[in-house]
Amino acid sequence: MIVSNGSGRLLEGRHFDPYGEHRDDPYAFLSGVWDDEPVFYAPLLDAWCVSRREDILAVLKDDGGFSTRDHNPRPKVALPDDVAKMFKTWRGSGAVGVGSLDPPEHSRIREVLNIGFTPARVSAFEPTMQQIAAGLVEQAAMEDDFEFISTFAVPYALEVICRLLGIPEEQYGNCRRWSEQRIELMMLQQDTDPALLREYAQGLVEFGAFARAIAEDRLANPQDDLISELLHSGKSGNTLSVAEVAVQIPTLIFAGHMTCAEALGTILYQQLLSPEGWRPVVEGTVTAHGLVEEGLRFDSPLAGMYRTATRDVVVGDVHLMEGSRLLMLFGAAGRDGRAHACPAAFAPNGKSSGHLAFGYGIHFCLGAGFARAELRVAVQAIAARMPGLTLVPGQAPKYRPVFPLRALRELHVRH
Ligand code: HEM
C-alpha cells in the first residue's frame, strides 16, 4: 500500500516522458508498470498515472470522488501573465467546455448536445461524410505518392465536423489554426518567444469571438445545422443560450477533428505495416469496422485525460489525498493483458471490444458513434479508390510532442 502526500511531489515517482523519450512508443515503458506499479506518480506530468483498465473504470464510475474541472493537460512552463489571462478567458470569463464540467451542470449541457449525435443523426449524416471522403480521395489520387495526414486525414476530419455544425467553408482554415494554437499553449513544454505565445493566445480570443458571432447569427437566422438546432430545438424543450452554445463550439471543432484525424493516421499506418498490407481491407477479410476498432484499441488517439480527487480516495492499492491529480491512461487500458488477449499485436479480427478509447461513464465521448462512422467511411472510400495502397518505403513515422494526443507528424503513402 502506498500513501501519497496529495500532490505526490515528495515522491520520486517514475520517469515517464510522453513528450520526449516515450513519445513514439509509450507502450514499451508501460509494459514495465502494469504488474509492478500500475498506479504510479510521474513527476514530469505532476500526476498519478492509472494504467490498468479496471482501475481506470473504477475512477470513471465515481463521479463524486473525481472532478473533470481540470482535465486538460497544463503547460509545463509558466505563460507570461497576459497570455495566461487570455488563455483562461478566451471563451468568456469562467466558461469551459462540456468535458470540464461536473454534474449537475454537465448533465444539463450534455443532454442538449446529445441531440446532434444520436444513431439516427449519424446515419443521416453518412452520405455527407461519403461525399467529403470521395472528393478528397480523388484529389489525393492525382499524385502517386502523397502525405496522408495533411492531404486527407486533417482536411477530412475538419470538414466533416464543420459541415455538421454549419461553419462557413472560408473559416475552416481558421478553425484549424485556432485548434493548433490551443495545442501549442495547452501542451507547451519549453520556454518560447513571448511574442509567439501572445499570437497563439490572440488566436484563441478570435476563436471565442467567432463562436459568439456565429451563435448570435444562428439565433437570429436559423439554418439546417447543429448550431441552430442547439439554440432552437433542444430535447424536451431544453435549449442552450447563445453564450452556452458559443462556449461549446470550439470544443466541438477541436475534439471533433483532432482525434479523428489522428485515428485515421494510426489506422492506416498499422494496417499498411502489417505483413498483408492493405489487401485484406480491399478484399473485405478485414472489415472497415474491425480495422477502426482495432486501431482505436491499439493506439488510442486520446491517450489519456486528467481527473482531480475531490476527497481522499484509493485507486488500485494507492491512497491518494483530496486534491491529487490523476491521469487516466485510456491508451494503456487498450494494451492491458488482463483485458485483451495478445494486446501488443495489431489484429483487426473483430475482437477489439472493451477498449477505452472513447472513455467511459458520464464523460463518454459525445461523438463516439459519429467518429466510428466517419472513420469507417474514410477507410471504405480509400479502399475503393486506392486498392494498391502501400507505405512509401524508408520512412520511420514519428509522433508529435502533443501528449495526450497521439498524432503522427507525417505518413507518406503510395497508390
Ligand atoms: C476517434 C475519435 C475520437 C476519440 C478517440 C475521442 C475520445 C474521447 C475521449 C477518450 C473522451 C473522454 C474524455 C474524458 O473522460 O475526460 C471524449 C470526450 C468527448 N468527445 Fe471525443 N473522441 C473522438 C471523436 C469525437 C468527435 C467526432 C466529437 C464530436 C463532437 C467528440 C467530442 C467529444 C466531447 C464534446 C467530449 C466531452 C464529453 C463530456 O465530457 O461529456 N469526440 N472523447
Side-chain angles (χ1 to χ4, degrees):
M1 177 82 71
I2 302 165
V3 181
S4 97
N5 69 331
S7 77
R9 275 193 194 89
L10 299 180
L11 296 171
E12 201 178 300
R14 292 236 176 188
H15 174 70
F16 177 44
D17 181 8
Y19 293 94
E21 193 180 331
H22 305 116
R23 183 179 61 213
D24 289 324
D25 181 13
Y27 305 107
F29 164 84
L30 290 166
S31 64
V33 303
W34 274 299
D35 289 330
D36 298 355
E37 199 184 357
V39 180
F40 65 94
Y41 179 69
L44 281 174
L45 305 173
D46 192 11
W48 289 87
C49 298
V50 185
S51 67
R52 277 189 190 166
R53 185 174 182 276
E54 60 176 281
D55 293 338
I56 296 176
L57 285 178
V59 170
L60 297 179
K61 284 176 183 172
D62 183 0
D63 306 316
F66 300 91
S67 165
T68 60
R69 191 77 197 172
D70 189 16
H71 80 151
N72 285 316
R74 296 173 182 158
K76 195 171 150 201
V77 293
L79 300 171
D81 286 351
D82 60 328
V83 173
K85 190 169 172 215
M86 284 192 270
F87 189 42
K88 220 174 159 187
T89 58
W90 62 277
R91 293 176 198 250
S93 175
V96 291
V98 60
S100 304
L101 294 173
D102 289 320
E105 187 62 354
H106 173 265
S107 327
R108 185 178 70 80
I109 303 283
R110 172 78 192 234
E111 185 181 73
V112 182
L113 293 179
N114 281 343
I115 60 173
F117 298 91
T118 61
R121 295 299 301 275
V122 172
S123 297
F125 200 71
E126 257 195 56
T128 308
M129 296 175 179
Q130 285 162 349
Q131 182 221 333
I132 298 169
L136 284 164
V137 176
E138 210 49 57
Q139 229 171 297
M142 287 160 72
E143 305 287 338
D144 292 342
D145 290 4
F146 64 97
E147 198 287 293
F148 179 73
I149 307 295
S150 58
T151 308
F152 186 90
V154 169
Y156 172 67
L158 185 65
E159 184 169 348
V160 166
I161 190 68
C162 285
R163 288 272 285 273
L164 181 79
L165 289 168
I167 304 293
E169 193 178 341
E170 64 275 13
Q171 295 291 346
Y172 294 177
N174 279 333
C175 290
R176 175 69 186 162
R177 174 170 60 85
W178 294 325
S179 300
E180 282 291 330
Q181 287 172 326
R182 183 169 179 224
I183 285 192
E184 292 291 345
L185 292 177
M186 199 157 63
M187 296 155 190
L188 187 72
Q189 292 298 298
Q190 58 200 16
D191 287 327
T192 303
D193 179 3
L196 198 57
L197 298 177
R198 212 155 281 133
E199 186 187 314
Y200 298 154
Q202 273 153 1
L204 288 184
V205 173
E206 278 173 39
F207 202 0
F210 164 75
R212 279 189 294 282
I214 195 166
E216 271 160 22
D217 177 72
R218 294 302 193 273
L219 184 68
N221 312 298
Q223 298 186 16
D224 182 17
D225 61 36
L226 182 58
I227 295 180
S228 305
E229 198 175 357
L230 296 173
L231 290 159
H232 291 276
S233 46
K235 193 177 170 189
S236 330
N238 293 333
T239 51
L240 299 180
S241 69
V242 165
E244 286 168 337
V245 169
V247 169
Q248 303 308 327
I249 290 172
T251 292
L252 295 174
I253 294 172
F254 183 89
H257 91 274
M258 304 296 283
T259 42
C260 276
E262 290 164 27
L264 268 178
T266 305
I267 287 168
L268 224 70
Y269 177 46
Q270 292 303 333
Q271 185 60 38
L272 293 178
L273 208 56
S274 69
E276 293 181 290
W278 197 230
R279 193 168 44 81
V281 182
V282 176
E283 291 174 352
T285 47
V286 164
T287 63
H289 169 79
L291 177 58
V292 166
E293 288 307 310
E294 180 65 350
L296 292 169
R297 176 198 74 80
F298 187 76
D299 199 359
S300 302
L302 187 55
M305 277 307 241
Y306 295 87
R307 295 290 189 272
T308 308
T310 56
R311 50 174 154 75
D312 293 357
V313 290
V314 180
V315 181
D317 66 353
V318 179
H319 273 225
L320 298 170
M321 285 173 61
E322 180 181 345
S324 296
R325 196 160 196 249
L326 295 92
L327 175 61
M328 300 300 109
L329 286 170
F330 302 130
R335 298 288 194 103
D336 184 346
R338 284 157 207 80
H340 304 276
C342 305
F346 182 79
N349 53 14
K351 295 181 184 161
S352 323
S353 63
H355 63 71
L356 297 182
F358 291 117
Y360 186 87
I362 62 165
H363 292 280
F364 181 76
C365 177
L366 171 71
F370 188 81
R372 283 181 156 126
E374 180 177 343
L375 297 172
R376 180 172 40 75
V377 163
V379 168
Q380 287 165 341
I382 298 165
R385 180 65 180 84
M386 299 178 170
L389 198 71
T390 55
L391 291 173
V392 170
Q395 60 180 323
K398 300 276 181 219
Y399 286 80
R400 296 176 58 196
V402 292
F403 181 86
L405 298 175
R406 293 280 297 155
L408 281 174
R409 280 182 196 279
E410 293 183 340
L411 184 67
H412 294 272
V413 294
R414 175 169 296 167
H415 74 102

